[in-house]
């Protein structure tokens, strides 16, 4: 017999969704996630953060997730429990920086961050 949440996957953003003010972990979120998983649900993260940055703000991310995470705005499918990337789709740094320089030179009041495989690239 299927469990209550079988075949349901929840992907959560980090900032302002999973985490509260000042990157605070919210206890009721942890309780809800454990309840969901205990009834057959799959939970993971979908964030612009990189894997190393994710673990900085959610140290127990590997224990919380029971499915691969989508990191770096979808550029990386990452197995948190195994600590390894499943597949990456990263743009080479040179063209990414060229795009950033173009945007900064031609569009006023823009903020940006380029997610790289290990951290962020800055212009």
């Amino acid at each position: 017999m299927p469990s209550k949440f079988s075949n349901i996957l929840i992907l959560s953003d980090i900032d302002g969704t999973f985490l509260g003010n000042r990157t605070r972990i919210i206890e009721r979120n942890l309780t809800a996630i454990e309840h969901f998983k205990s009834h057959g649900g799959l939970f993971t993260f979908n964030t612009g953060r990189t894997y190393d940055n994710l673990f900085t703000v959610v140290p127990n991310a590997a224990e919380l997730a029971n499915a691969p995470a989508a990191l770096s705005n979808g550029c990386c499918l990452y197995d948190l429990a195994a600590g390894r990337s499943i597949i990456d789709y990263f743009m080479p740094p040179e063209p990414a920086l060229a795009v950033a320089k173009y945007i900064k030179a031609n569009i006023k009041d823009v903020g940006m961050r380029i997610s790289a495989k290990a951290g962020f690239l800055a212009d």
Side-chain angles (χ1 to χ4, degrees):
M1 184 165 153
S3 297
K4 183 176 181 178
F5 299 120
S6 291
N7 300 316
I8 297 175
L9 169 67
I10 293 177
L11 295 102
S12 177
D13 189 20
I14 301 294
D15 302 293
T17 305
F18 176 77
L19 297 176
N21 294 337
R22 295 176 293 247
T23 63
R24 182 178 54 88
I25 294 177
I26 301 169
E27 189 62 38
R28 74 175 182 263
N29 287 350
L30 300 177
T31 302
I33 291 165
E34 289 309 318
H35 173 78
F36 176 71
K37 291 184 340 185
S38 71
H39 288 86
L42 296 172
F43 175 82
T44 193
F45 297 100
N46 183 23
T47 179
R49 292 178 178 268
T50 60
Y51 66 90
D52 54 342
N53 188 258
L54 170 64
F55 286 109
T56 300
V57 295
V58 186
N60 61 335
E63 291 81 37
L64 289 170
N66 61 349
L71 304 178
S72 300
N73 292 315
C75 290
C76 176
L77 187 60
Y78 195 84
D79 185 331
L80 296 168
R84 66 176 182 80
S85 182
I86 297 169
I87 192 162
D88 296 319
Y89 292 104
F90 287 102
M91 177 185 254
E94 294 79 16
L97 287 172
V99 169
K101 286 179 183 179
Y102 176 84
I103 291 171
K104 285 178 77 173
N106 294 286
I107 302 173
K108 294 180 181 181
D109 300 322
V110 68
M112 73 182 90
R113 177 184 74 191
I114 301 174
S115 298
K117 193 165 191 166
F120 306 105
L121 296 178
D123 176 19

